[in-house]
Amino acid sequence: RWDDSFTWSIGAQAGVLGFQTRTQLRGWAPTVGGNLVVVSKRTGLMISVDEAFGSAETSGYTDVNASNGIRDVSFERIRRYSAVLTGYPVRGSTQPYFGLGFGLVQVVDPQVGGFFSSPLQANLARDLASEKSTSGFVSFVAGIQFRLDRMAVFGQYQLASAPAANQLLRGGAHSLVGGLRFSLGGAKEGIKGGGY
């Protein structure tokens, strides 16, 4: 039987991300990503990166230079970085887990729309869109994994808090992912006794 105490694991995951923008109600986009998990006995640290692939998603931000006071923005991808402290209340081949953490969400390469009176105004609009593309979040994670020797199949749900006001994304984000993790071995040096 494989003991997962004090181990490192690396994995791949795929799923969906639910998000909102200023101009869209809840939208869903497919995601792919990877994760690194370090487990002690009943606690662990999970670090993950996900990329969501949308299609002609739209948003906007307040801009007095825009004709209606809102600068239109379009984008295709959302990237998220997460670090979550996890707890494993049950030991065994089937393990539920829960976690709290934080992260960073980024709208990748936002494109501004509308008309500009000068190249300087266009550059300023692009800079503002870039500033409003990234925000921090706090998250809650609930999942379950099924261990098969050094491999684990898992599924998890993550709820992330809403970004600050006037960002390209708004409202809480929901994600549902599943994937595989593979153990890389021990994360703790063994203590070995011996005489001289």
Side-chain angles (χ1 to χ4, degrees):
R1 177 181 171 274
W2 172 246
D3 182 4
D4 63 349
S5 297
F6 303 105
T7 57
W8 296 81
S9 297
I10 192 168
Q13 60 196 44
V16 291
L17 172 67
F19 64 94
Q20 289 177 277
T21 74
R22 186 168 190 155
T23 59
Q24 294 183 181
L25 295 177
R26 180 72 55 194
W28 296 90
T31 67
V32 294
N35 60 78
L36 174 68
V37 179
V38 184
V39 176
S40 178
K41 290 192 180 218
R42 292 187 181 271
T43 59
L45 173 65
M46 178 171 55
I47 298 171
S48 61
V49 180
D50 286 284
E51 188 126 350
F53 298 89
S55 176
E57 311 297 339
T58 62
S59 186
Y61 63 87
T62 304
D63 185 353
V64 295
N65 294 313
S67 60
N68 61 353
I70 302 296
R71 177 66 61 189
D72 294 328
V73 177
S74 62
F75 62 93
E76 302 286 336
R77 294 179 291 142
I78 300 171
R79 188 175 298 148
R80 297 198 312 162
Y81 305 89
S82 299
V84 178
L85 291 173
T86 53
Y88 301 84
V90 177
R91 298 299 299 261
S93 58
T94 300
Q95 293 179 309
Y97 60 90
F98 305 92
L100 289 173
F102 61 91
L104 200 66
V105 61
Q106 176 188 21
V107 171
V108 180
D109 194 26
Q111 301 294 313
V112 293
F115 297 98
F116 303 99
S117 60
S118 68
L120 179 62
Q121 189 187 79
N123 288 334
L124 178 60
R126 281 193 289 270
D127 290 344
L128 282 172
S130 181
E131 287 177 16
K132 296 176 183 302
S133 68
T134 304
S135 184
F137 63 84
V138 176
S139 66
F140 167 76
V141 169
I144 188 167
Q145 65 179 10
F146 305 94
R147 300 203 62 86
L148 302 167
D149 194 37
R150 290 177 179 257
M151 184 180 77
V153 179
F154 72 94
Q156 73 181 36
Y157 165 77
Q158 183 176 23
L159 171 64
S161 62
N166 206 29
Q167 298 290 102
L168 298 183
L169 298 177
R170 63 167 39 178
H174 304 263
S175 66
L176 190 62
V177 300
L180 296 173
R181 293 190 185 111
F182 301 91
S183 174
L184 300 178
K188 180 181 179 182
E189 290 289 334
I191 299 174
K192 297 180 181 178
Y196 293 96

